[in-house]
C-alpha cells in the first residue's frame, strides 16, 4: 500500500468542499461525495499522479487510493463519513439495493 503524502490529503480534503449553490443542493440530496466523485473533482495533475502511481490497474486503483485517504481523514475527524442506501433498477434483474460510503467536509 502506498502511503499518501500531505499534498494528496489536502487536495482530497479540498475536493470535498462544495462550490456554489448547485453543489450545496446536490450534497443536501445525496448526503456526500463517493470516492469516485472525489477523484473526478481532483485537479487533473493530481489525477494523473495517482493514476501513474497505480499504473498497473489505472483508474480503479487510483479511486481506491482516494477512498483509503478519505477513510484516514474520517478517522482523524477531518471528514464526515456516512453510509447511504441507493436503489438502482437494472433492466434484466429489476431493482437492486446498494450501500455506499459518502464523504463530506466538516
Amino acid at each position: 500500500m502506498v502511503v499518501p503524502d500531505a499534498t494528496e490529503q489536502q487536495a482530497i480534503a479540498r475536493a470535498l468542499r462544495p462550490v456554489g449553490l448547485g453543489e450545496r443542493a446536490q450534497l443536501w440530496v445525496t448526503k456526500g461525495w463517493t470516492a469516485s466523485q472525489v477523484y473526478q473533482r481532483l485537479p487533473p495533475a493530481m489525477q494523473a499522479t495517482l493514476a501513474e502511481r497505480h499504473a498497473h490497474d489505472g483508474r480503479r486503483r487510483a479511486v481506491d487510493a482516494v477512498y483509503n485517504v478519505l477513510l484516514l481523514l474520517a478517522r482523524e475527524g477531518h471528514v464526515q463519513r456516512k453510509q447511504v442506501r441507493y436503489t438502482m433498477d437494472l433492466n434484466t434483474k429489476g431493482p437492486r439495493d446498494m450501500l455506499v460510503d459518502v464523504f463530506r467536509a466538516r
Side-chain angles (χ1 to χ4, degrees):
M1 180 176 160
V2 179
V3 178
D5 62 6
T7 306
E8 289 175 4
Q9 290 182 18
Q10 291 172 355
I12 289 170
R14 230 177 291 119
L16 286 171
R17 295 188 195 121
V19 177
L21 188 59
E23 285 188 358
R24 288 183 191 277
Q26 181 180 357
L27 282 179
W28 184 77
V29 171
T30 62
K31 309 299 183 210
W33 306 109
T34 65
S36 180
Q37 289 171 325
V38 173
Y39 175 78
Q40 292 171 352
R41 293 171 57 81
L42 289 172
M46 182 63 66
Q47 288 180 13
T49 300
L50 288 169
E52 274 180 28
R53 186 176 298 159
H54 304 283
H56 58 282
D57 286 328
R59 185 177 185 274
R60 170 139 170 81
R61 292 289 183 201
V63 171
D64 286 345
V66 169
Y67 179 73
N68 289 331
V69 171
L70 288 167
L71 290 178
L72 174 70
L73 292 172
R75 275 194 302 271
E76 293 175 352
H78 302 295
V79 170
Q80 181 182 11
R81 176 185 177 199
K82 186 174 188 173
Q83 290 185 326
V84 295
R85 184 174 306 275
Y86 288 107
T87 301
M88 178 179 271
D89 192 25
L90 300 175
N91 290 341
T92 58
K93 298 182 181 181
R96 294 291 186 252
D97 290 331
M98 299 179 288
L99 192 59
V100 180
D101 286 343
V102 294
F103 300 88
R104 294 178 79 150
R106 284 206 182 259

